[in-house]
Amino acid sequence: MMFNFVLFSLLFLPSLCSQEQTYIVQVQLKSKPVVFLGVEAWYKSMLPPPMFKKNPIRHVLKHVMHGYIATLTQQQVQFVGNLTEVIGVHPNEVHQLHTTHTPTFLELISSEGKEGTLSEVGEYGSEVVVGVLDTGIWPERASFSDEGMGPIPSHWKGECMEGAAFTRDVCNKKLIGARHFQLTYDPTQIVDYNSARDSQGHGTHTASTVAGLRVSNASIYGYAEGVASGIAPRARLAIYKVCWVDMDCKSADIVAAFDQAVEDGVDIISYSIGTGVAGYHLNPVAIAQFGAMKHGVFVSTSAGNNGPALNSVFNIPPWVMTVGSGTIDRKFPAEIILANGYVLTGESIYSGPPLPTTTFFPLIHVHESMDTQVLEGKIVVFEGRNISAQRGVELRNVGAVGMVIVVVVNDKDQGGGSLVHDVHVLPTVILTASTAAQSIFSYLASSKEPHGTIVSLGTKLNVKPAPIVASFSSRGPNRESNSIIKPDLIAPGVNILAAWPDEVGPSIFLTGSDQRKTEFNILTGTSMSCPHVSGVAALLKGAHPDWSPSRIKSSMMTTAYVVDNEGKSFVDGFKYEVATPWAYGSGHVNPEKALDPGLVYDMTVEDYIDFLCASQYNEQQISQITHTTITSCKKGQPWDLNYPSISVSLNRRSNEVYVTRTVTQVSEAVSKYTVNIENPTGVLVTVAPTNLAFGRKEEKQSYVVKISAKKIKGKSKTVFGRISWEDGQHVVSMPIANRV
C-alpha cells in the first residue's frame, strides 16, 4: 500500500511532472453523493492529493454548466477525465475579439433626432440588463451616465467589483454591475488594469453601442457629428471583463463570466468574441451559451471578420444569434485635387489641420524600397492594403505632408462596402475605385512635375446603396451544422461611432504610441454589428418580457429586409455582385418590424436535443452540451429543427425533401396568412397548406415544405429561395438554401 501511495503521490507532484495549465472540468451533477453537503467539497474530492500546493480549483460553475475551473497537470487531467462523474475536460483556449448614426439608419431615431416607435411606446429596455463580455469599460464616459434612469431592476443580483482604478462609486443606475475574470493569469504579470476598467477600447465601444445614453454633439474630430445613442439607451449594463492586453480572451474566463452573468440576472448577453468551430460537445463556450439560453438569456454573437471566404463564420450554434456586418448610409469623403484639374474622390478620417486648398504639393509614387529622404514636402502615393495610421506616422517623421493610398476594390465602388477607417495623422485620401487608380497613375506617369492637394469633405449621409454586405464579414455555410444557415442576419458594423476610453488613442494600429484623445471613436467589424442586435434584443425583451430567446431571435430573423435603400438586392462588398444568404443570412435587422412580427418560430430545449440527435451526436455528448440526461435519441432530420430558415441537401439519390415548420401567432387580432414562394433556380418548392388561419394569440399552426430538384447534374452548388407568409400587415419570411 505504501509503495502504491508513493507512486500515486509522485505521479501528481507538479514539480516532477508536466507543467500546470487551466482546464474546464464538466461534471454530471446527479452523480453527487449525499455525503457531500455542497458541490465544492465534492469537486475537491475528485482531485488527486494536492501534496505541496494549494487547492487547484479556481472557480465553481453552477448555471451554464456544472463543474469547475482548475489548474492541473496533464497527469491530473487524465486522472480526473477517467472519473465516471466527469463528462468533459476542456482545455483553456484562446479566443479573439472581432474587431451614432446607426439608430437613425435603423429608424429608431428620425433624421430630425426624434425617437422612433420603439421608444415612443414607453420605457422599453429599462427593466432589461445586458451583460457585455469584452475588454471592460471606461465608466466615466457620458454614454454611461444614469441621468433620467429609474430604479435598478429588482431581479438584478450582481455587484460592482472593485479593482485597480475602479471603485464601486463608478457604478450607477445605468452601469449596474462590473466584474473581471483572470482565472488563468498571474496578476503580477498583467499589463492591464486589474479590474473591469478598459485599457483597449473595444469593450467601451461595444457597451455604448448596446445601451449608451444619448449624448449630443458627439463626433470624432468633427466627423460623424450628431447625437450618439446606444440602440437601447434605457437598458442597464453589466460588464464582464474577460479579455486582457497581450493575453487575449481565454475560454476559462469566458465560461466563468457566462455562469456569473446568469447568476447575476442578466437578460441579454452581448459577445463580440470569436469562438472556434468544433463539435459542440468539444466547445465549452458553446456549452455555456446553451446553458445561458436554457436559463432564458438571449445570446448575441459576432460572425467573425474572415470574409469573404466561404465557411468562415464563427459562433455557429443554433441557440445563439450570429451577426454579420453591413454598411450604413454614411461615408467620410476626401479628395485629391490634381494640378491638371482632375478631382479624384476617396475617403479618410484625419485629425489634424488641413492642407491649404490653393497650394499644390509635389506628388511622388513610392515603393517600399525608396529612399525616404526624397519624401520631404511631398504627398506620397502608394499601393497596398495597409491603410493604418502607422504608415502616416512613418511618412510624417520623414517630412511628407500627405498620403494617397490606392486600394483597388472594383470599378464601381468607392469604399468597397468594407473600407476600415483608421484616424490618420497626415492628410490622407484612400482610393478604392479602379477608375480613380487609373487616373492618378496615368497622371503620375505623364506629368513631369505632378502636383496636387488633399481636401477633406467631412461627413456625407444618405449614401446609396446601403446596406452593402461588408467584404470582411464571415460567410457561411455552417461548417458544423449545414442544416442551419449562418450568419443569422446582418447589422451595422462598418465605421461605427461609439464611446472610447480617455487613455487610449483613436488608432487601433498605434498601440501605446497614439497620444491623441477622443471621447468617441470609429471602429469596424462584426464586433460592432453584434451589439446592435444585442440592443434590439433588449428593446424586444422590454416590450415583451415573457418572450423566450428563440422568440426574440425569430422576430428579428423573419422581419429582416433583403433590399437596400435603392430597392435592389443586397450587394456583396467584395466583388460588388448580388449577395447571398451565406453573407447576410435572413437579411438586415429591422427593429420596428421585429416589435410586431405576427408569427414566430419557437424552439425549446427538447427541440435542440432532437436536433443534436439528428446531427449524429450520441447520448453522452448531448448530455454534455445540454446538461440534460439523455437515455435515447429520437430519429429525425437536422433540418426539422423549428429554425426560422431552411437549409437542405439534394442529390441524385434523394432529390426530394420534406421539412416541417410550426408558427405561433403573437399578435392579438384574428388573421389569415397566405404563402408566397420564391423558388431557387432549378428547384421547386411547394407548401401545404397555402393558407394559415389564426383565431387567437398563442395559437399554433404547422405547415410542410416540399423541396425537390428538377434536374441534378454537374458540380455541386447552392441555390437560394425564400418563403414568406403575409396577412396584409405582417410579412414573415425565411431564406431557403438548397445544395444540389
Side-chain angles (χ1 to χ4, degrees):
M1 288 293 294
M2 178 63 69
F3 178 74
N4 290 337
F5 178 77
V6 170
L7 285 180
F8 183 79
S9 301
L10 288 174
L11 178 62
F12 295 104
L13 188 61
S15 61
L16 298 179
C17 298
S18 62
Q19 185 178 3
E20 294 176 335
Q21 294 182 355
T22 303
Y23 293 87
I24 303 164
V25 180
Q26 216 179 335
V27 175
Q28 188 74 269
L29 189 61
K30 70 170 188 174
S31 302
K32 185 178 81 67
V34 293
V35 296
F36 294 103
L37 297 179
V39 293
E40 189 161 2
W42 177 44
Y43 294 159
K44 288 180 181 178
S45 75
M46 298 178 191
L47 299 171
M51 297 301 292
F52 307 115
K53 60 175 288 183
K54 296 180 180 179
N55 176 16
I57 294 179
R58 307 291 299 276
H59 189 88
V60 173
L61 301 167
K62 304 174 184 177
H63 305 284
V64 298
M65 68 172 70
H66 300 298
Y68 53 91
I69 297 169
T71 304
L72 304 170
T73 66
Q74 187 60 46
Q75 289 83 359
Q76 291 169 333
V77 168
Q78 293 173 2
F79 174 82
V80 171
N82 287 329
L83 298 175
T84 56
E85 56 267 48
V86 172
I87 58 176
V89 181
H90 306 282
N92 186 30
E93 297 177 334
V94 174
H95 301 262
Q96 303 290 336
L97 293 164
H98 281 155
T99 290
T100 55
H101 176 64
T102 51
T104 305
F105 185 69
L106 293 173
E107 299 183 352
L108 295 172
I109 300 176
S110 71
S111 57
E112 291 79 27
K114 298 178 181 179
E115 294 183 344
T117 304
L118 279 168
S119 298
E120 290 172 355
V121 174
E123 289 280 314
Y124 282 174
S126 64
E127 291 297 309
V128 178
V129 182
V130 182
V132 182
L133 276 62
D134 215 296
T135 64
I137 193 168
W138 196 266
E140 292 81 9
R141 283 296 176 236
S143 297
F144 309 122
S145 165
D146 64 354
E147 182 180 356
M149 301 289 292
I152 292 172
S154 59
H155 69 278
W156 176 246
K157 303 178 182 66
E159 67 169 284
C160 194
M161 184 178 176
E162 293 194 326
F166 203 98
T167 65
R168 289 185 178 87
D169 295 339
V170 301
C171 289
N172 54 31
K173 290 183 287 187
K174 161 61 74 174
L175 175 60
I176 64 174
R179 298 179 187 268
H180 57 283
F181 295 83
Q182 47 177 344
L183 303 177
T184 305
Y185 312 125
D186 179 352
T188 63
Q189 302 299 314
I190 292 177
V191 290
D192 194 347
Y193 289 106
N194 191 8
S195 70
R197 184 168 291 278
D198 183 11
S199 64
Q200 300 183 67
H202 192 276
T204 299
H205 197 280
T206 57
S208 63
T209 301
V210 174
L213 203 68
R214 298 184 71 187
V215 180
S216 300
N217 302 315
S219 74
I220 177 168
Y221 304 117
Y223 293 87
E225 188 171 10
V227 176
S229 173
I231 301 304
R234 292 173 173 83
R236 317 304 173 122
L237 284 167
I239 302 303
Y240 300 86
K241 182 175 177 177
V242 296
C243 302
W244 300 80
V245 172
D246 297 336
M247 295 183 181
D248 299 310
C249 323
K250 298 291 182 66
S251 55
D253 294 325
I254 293 168
V255 170
F258 266 101
D259 196 69
Q260 188 65 60
V262 169
E263 181 173 310
D264 288 345
V266 304
D267 303 288
I268 313 291
I269 288 178
S270 191
Y271 181 75
S272 292
I273 302 170
T275 295
V277 178
Y280 301 132
H281 65 295
L282 301 175
N283 186 339
V285 175
I287 295 171
Q289 291 167 340
F290 189 98
M293 176 277 301
K294 193 175 178 180
H295 282 83
V297 177
F298 176 88
V299 180
S300 175
T301 69
S302 51
N305 302 331
N306 290 354
L310 295 177
N311 302 104
S312 59
V313 64
F314 288 84
N315 289 308
I316 58 175
W319 45 85
V320 303
M321 179 73 95
T322 309
V323 188
S325 280
T327 65
I328 59 176
D329 59 342
R330 178 177 68 192
K331 286 188 176 181
F332 308 107
E335 295 175 340
I336 173 71
I337 303 174
L338 304 179
N340 65 359
Y342 277 60
V343 178
L344 307 178
T345 302
E347 293 188 61
S348 78
I349 298 175
Y350 164 58
S351 65
L355 293 177
T357 57
T358 56
T359 302
F360 288 88
F361 298 87
L363 300 177
I364 183 170
H365 184 196
V366 306
H367 304 281
E368 296 293 337
S369 59
M370 178 164 284
D371 183 2
T372 57
Q373 293 183 355
V374 303
L375 304 181
E376 185 174 357
K378 296 181 174 64
I379 295 175
V380 179
V381 182
F382 59 90
E383 302 165 84
R385 303 200 69 84
N386 179 6
I387 60 174
S388 75
Q390 180 61 45
R391 180 63 66 92
V393 170
E394 296 167 357
L395 292 175
R396 183 183 61 182
N397 290 342
V398 296
V401 298
M403 62 180 180
V404 178
I405 310 173
V406 180
V407 187
V408 174
V409 177
N410 49 61
D411 61 354
K412 300 178 182 178
D413 183 38
Q414 293 179 356
S418 57
L419 186 59
V420 180
H421 280 294
D422 200 3
V423 182
H424 292 281
V425 300
L426 273 183
T428 300
V429 177
I430 303 169
L431 301 177
T432 59
S434 60
T435 51
Q438 292 170 3
S439 295
I440 195 167
F441 289 136
S442 174
Y443 174 64
L444 290 168
S446 61
S447 175
K448 293 182 178 179
E449 295 184 355
H451 282 65
T453 192
I454 293 172
V455 177
S456 171
L457 302 180
T459 304
K460 181 181 180 181
L461 299 177
N462 302 314
V463 171
K464 295 182 178 181
I468 293 172
V469 180
S471 66
F472 62 79
S473 187
S474 289
R475 309 305 207 251
N478 187 327
R479 283 172 284 173
E480 177 62 20
S481 301
N482 60 18
S483 60
I484 304 295
I485 295 177
K486 291 285 183 173
D488 290 306
L489 44 64
I490 60 172
V494 178
N495 300 323
I496 304 302
L497 183 78
W500 196 246
D502 194 46
E503 294 183 4
V504 184
S507 174
I508 61 174
F509 299 102
L510 298 178
T511 306
S513 62
D514 192 352
Q515 300 302 311
R516 296 171 295 175
K517 296 186 183 300
T518 178
E519 188 171 349
F520 295 90
N521 198 13
I522 283 177
L523 294 183
T524 288
T526 57
S527 279
M528 284 64 254
S529 50
C530 167
H532 281 83
V533 168
S534 306
V536 174
L539 293 174
L540 296 176
K541 185 68 174 179
H544 305 283
D546 60 334
W547 274 15
S548 65
S550 67
R551 239 174 224 206
I552 294 172
K553 182 178 192 176
S554 174
S555 70
M556 283 191 265
M557 290 177 65
T558 61
T559 59
Y561 60 87
V562 293
V563 294
D564 59 30
N565 56 5
E566 292 183 319
K568 300 177 182 178
S569 298
F570 288 160
V571 167
D572 189 314
F574 177 54
K575 291 186 176 179
Y576 220 78
E577 298 173 344
V578 175
T580 75
W582 289 155
Y584 60 75
S586 294
H588 192 286
V589 66
N590 187 341
E592 296 283 358
K593 295 293 185 183
L595 178 67
D596 179 21
L599 306 175
V600 295
Y601 294 86
D602 285 327
M603 290 173 283
T604 65
V605 169
E606 289 71 25
D607 293 329
Y608 289 119
I609 290 173
D610 291 342
F611 162 78
L612 293 168
C613 283
S615 301
Q616 306 305 310
Y617 285 86
N618 63 39
E619 287 83 353
Q620 181 179 350
Q621 292 167 343
I622 296 171
S623 297
Q624 190 176 348
I625 297 165
T626 65
H627 331 121
T628 304
T629 301
I630 305 298
T631 56
S632 63
C633 256
K634 178 181 176 181
K635 292 184 179 180
Q637 296 293 340
W639 51 70
D640 283 329
L641 177 66
N642 202 40
Y643 210 73
S645 64
I646 295 174
S647 178
V648 299
S649 296
L650 303 173
N651 53 55
R652 291 182 178 87
R653 289 181 298 174
S654 177
N655 67 345
E656 191 173 274
V657 170
Y658 291 85
V659 180
T660 301
R661 288 291 184 269
T662 300
V663 288
T664 303
Q665 173 159 279
V666 292
S667 300
E668 298 285 353
V670 173
S671 61
K672 182 179 180 180
Y673 287 81
T674 301
V675 72
N676 180 47
I677 302 170
E678 298 175 29
N679 281 300
T681 303
V683 174
L684 178 63
V685 177
T686 59
V687 175
T690 57
N691 295 285
L692 298 175
F694 297 88
R696 57 181 174 80
K697 187 178 181 181
E698 295 300 326
E699 183 177 350
K700 296 181 182 293
Q701 298 279 359
S702 296
Y703 63 91
V704 176
V705 182
K706 178 184 175 183
I707 304 170
S708 54
K710 298 175 182 178
K711 184 180 289 187
I712 298 177
K713 60 180 181 179
K715 292 183 178 181
S716 176
K717 61 181 179 179
T718 302
V719 291
F720 301 94
R722 201 167 183 86
I723 294 175
S724 300
W725 291 96
E726 303 175 18
D727 72 342
Q729 180 180 355
H730 307 96
V731 179
V732 186
S733 295
M734 68 160 62
I736 306 173
N738 301 271
R739 291 173 298 282
V740 296

